[in-house]
Amino acid sequence: MSRRYDSRTTIFSPEGRLYQVEYAMEAISNAGASMGMLAKDGVVLVAEKKITSKLLDSKAVGVRKEKMYKLDDHIACSVAGITADANILINICRLAAQRYYFAYQEPIPVEQLVQSVCDTKQGYTQFGGQRPFGVSILYAGWDEHYGFQLYQSDPSGNYGGWKAAAIGAGHAAATNLLKTDYKDDITLAEAVPLLVRVLSKAMDTSLAVDKVEIATLSKDPATGKVIYKQYEAPEITPLIEAANADKAAAASS
Amino acid sequence: MDYLMGIKGPDFVMVCSDTQAAHSVISIKHDEDKIVPLDSHKMFGIAGEAGDRVNFSEFVIANVKLYALRNSTELSTSSVAHFTRGELAKALRSSPYHCNLLLAGYDEKVGPSLYWMDYLATLNKINTGGTGYGAMFVLSLFDKLWHPNLTEAEAVDMMEQGIAEVKRRLVVAPPHYIIKIIDKNGIRTVKTV
């Protein structure tokens, strides 16, 4: 019976649901996981890459970054869902950030960027007859109004500010783990290994260097500038080894 | 024939404008306030073509208010200055706004600032400046008198000297003026002359 209301994205079902939006969220639950955690002195994002193959050219730019993207000097994001859809949204985010800077000569406050992208996403659930974007995004940013922030948006155009969030495969399990493990005054140095451990626990397979992306947003104590850092293999390896060891120890005990 | 001058001190900004509204050679109104508030700590002094200056300043004020309501936070003086300049620039090559502006504001983190804008979308951050015929006589006088540790009383005295100079030397000098100030407590009228 619900089939009758599926083909049009922009109408309600009799029970008052938007099926296309729900199906989009289903698509994302099958995609590579992304998680974020807010610390006192920064934000960390980790993600599981789904596209791994010996044949991938590791020197080509697009390969290393499948999940994490810089939106402006002070904002980065991690995506989960249909990669091609995500690319469009990331471009929209970047445009929004630069348009704001052009008008005001100041960096866009993080929440305003999230709001403007979410307004776009909402449009695809209400008019135009086009399907929604099959992407959820975690935004990590810093601005002078609210300091470090972590936001999550989904295909409906809803967003929320979070202390820790997980999207993509295993997000329900990861969210549960985050609820127990997170503490309010955590530092970035503590948050990074913690989030990697949560990722490994929520994944079926054990982590490998070419399957994980890690990025942090923090401030340089000397200059006060916001730094976006994507971890390279030598930095990722010890973190995932520790997480895999933890997981093995927990499984055997 | 509008007279508009601004002075920035270490913890305040002062703007003086004449209060005459003229239509060709007739003075319609003697108490037209050309210094309009944007919010509690920012104001525009506006000079130029009668319709444009009111229309443009009201447009900017509405946008500033909308931003504050949408985002639960106020724009800084610097961002308002750049936004305003951007709007002047956008309209410049189709239907320009023929107005010159002084933007005066006080931000908690930055302190006082004074911006000068003209109808060609020029933007400058200044310590002293102004627009119109009157500015011609008064800019060099202010250059001589201004120093970084100006007090409010010294600034008022500077403004009054400027007004006196304009009345002495400008052929059709406006008769009445208003002086306003912004400091950490907000906008206040100092005096009318």
Side-chain angles (χ1 to χ4, degrees):
Chain A
M1 337 54 99
S2 62
R3 293 279 162 80
R4 223 179 287 159
Y5 304 98
D6 287 2
S7 52
R8 302 274 298 281
T9 66
T10 54
I11 57 176
F12 285 109
S13 75
E15 308 94 60
R17 292 157 68 177
L18 292 169
Y19 279 115
Q20 283 301 308
V21 174
E22 293 181 16
Y23 297 159
M25 306 217 216
E26 251 319 289
I28 295 165
S29 306
N30 300 326
S34 266
M35 301 176 194
M37 188 177 284
L38 182 64
K40 274 194 312 203
D41 52 340
V43 193
V44 51
L45 296 167
V46 309
E48 175 212 5
K49 280 197 274 211
K50 277 289 184 130
I51 307 173
T52 55
S53 159
K54 273 201 297 198
L55 293 175
L56 278 173
D57 181 358
S58 56
K59 287 186 243 83
V61 173
V63 169
R64 279 180 44 206
K65 297 179 303 178
E66 179 195 312
K67 307 283 282 178
M68 313 273 188
Y69 298 90
K70 196 172 164 194
L71 300 178
D72 198 352
D73 285 337
H74 61 299
I75 310 179
C77 73
S78 180
V79 301
I82 304 174
T83 308
D85 283 11
N87 288 336
I88 300 293
L89 283 174
I90 286 160
N91 196 45
I92 289 174
C93 287
R94 288 170 172 162
L95 273 169
Q98 292 316 307
R99 266 194 220 112
Y100 186 98
Y101 191 84
F102 178 63
Y104 299 102
Q105 293 296 302
E106 269 181 7
I108 187 169
V110 187
E111 188 173 355
Q112 285 188 44
L113 175 66
V114 176
Q115 268 174 342
S116 97
V117 172
C118 284
D119 286 346
T120 304
K121 286 207 224 185
Q122 187 276 342
Y124 285 77
T125 71
Q126 192 171 29
F127 47 81
Q130 294 170 293
R131 68 165 174 80
F133 289 95
V135 193
S136 281
I137 310 178
L138 290 174
Y139 309 79
W142 181 93
D143 62 45
E144 59 172 2
H145 308 280
Y146 295 107
F148 287 105
Q149 299 148 75
L150 175 68
Y151 293 95
Q152 182 206 324
S153 72
D154 64 28
S156 67
N158 251 335
Y159 75 92
W162 296 90
K163 298 176 183 175
I167 53 179
H171 70 272
T175 306
N176 271 327
L177 288 164
L178 288 169
K179 266 192 227 170
T180 46
D181 289 346
Y182 183 80
K183 5 180 264 245
D184 271 324
D185 53 356
I186 198 169
T187 63
L188 195 59
E190 296 167 324
V192 177
L194 172 56
L195 201 58
V196 176
R197 275 204 303 278
V198 172
L199 178 71
S200 93
K201 281 190 225 173
M203 302 275 82
D204 294 326
T205 56
S206 66
L207 302 177
V209 162
D210 60 345
K211 293 198 78 167
V212 175
E213 275 183 50
I214 305 177
T216 56
L217 204 79
S218 56
K219 275 184 106 181
D220 183 325
T223 62
K225 279 187 73 173
V226 180
I227 308 173
Y228 169 68
K229 177 175 132 104
Q230 271 198 297
Y231 282 41
E232 300 289 338
E235 297 160 307
I236 300 181
T237 310
L239 287 163
I240 57 178
E241 280 174 356
N244 283 335
D246 248 15
K247 189 173 171 181
S252 61
S253 67
Chain B
M1 265 199 298
D2 295 317
Y3 174 84
L4 194 56
M5 293 300 298
I7 301 173
K8 177 175 96 91
D11 54 358
F12 67 88
V13 202
M14 190 178 287
V15 176
C16 170
S17 83
D18 75 284
T19 57
Q20 177 170 257
H23 188 70
S24 86
V25 295
I26 298 172
S27 173
I28 304 178
K29 197 170 144 86
H30 301 297
D31 54 358
E32 162 97 340
D33 189 353
K34 299 179 192 175
I35 308 177
V36 296
L38 276 87
D39 62 30
S40 59
H41 286 71
K42 295 181 198 53
M43 61 193 183
F44 267 141
I46 37 173
E49 188 146 337
D52 278 357
R53 66 170 190 240
V54 171
N55 182 242
F56 182 67
S57 58
E58 284 179 354
F59 169 66
V60 176
I61 290 165
N63 271 286
V64 167
K65 181 87 198 172
L66 178 62
Y67 185 103
L69 286 167
R70 268 189 184 146
N71 304 303
S72 312
T73 181
E74 294 193 335
L75 282 165
S76 61
T77 308
S78 159
S79 19
V80 173
H82 285 102
F83 170 74
T84 309
R85 190 211 80 82
E87 291 301 316
L88 287 166
K90 222 184 279 181
L92 183 61
R93 294 191 193 283
S94 50
S95 58
Y97 294 103
H98 217 286
C99 48
N100 303 319
L101 312 131
L102 284 179
L103 171 65
Y106 186 95
D107 305 293
E108 217 185 275
K109 287 191 191 137
V110 168
S113 12
L114 181 62
Y115 289 89
W116 182 97
M117 266 172 276
D118 79 358
Y119 69 102
L120 294 171
T122 311
L123 174 68
N124 286 110
K125 192 166 191 285
I126 51 172
N127 293 322
T128 60
T131 71
Y133 291 123
M136 276 187 218
F137 301 112
V138 171
L139 280 172
S140 44
L141 175 66
F142 280 15
D143 280 344
K144 200 166 170 196
L145 296 171
W146 189 86
H147 62 90
N149 300 313
L150 219 57
T151 63
E152 185 187 320
E154 285 174 316
V156 174
D157 185 58
M158 265 172 84
M159 287 295 194
E160 288 181 322
Q161 286 193 48
I163 293 169
E165 185 64 22
V166 164
K167 285 187 171 174
R168 196 181 307 134
R169 286 299 183 186
L170 184 57
V171 176
V172 199
H176 300 293
Y177 302 78
I178 186 169
I179 303 177
K180 291 191 183 176
I181 189 174
I182 305 183
D183 57 21
K184 64 179 183 343
N185 301 317
I187 305 175
R188 184 174 30 104
T189 302
V190 177
K191 66 195 298 185
T192 53
V193 174

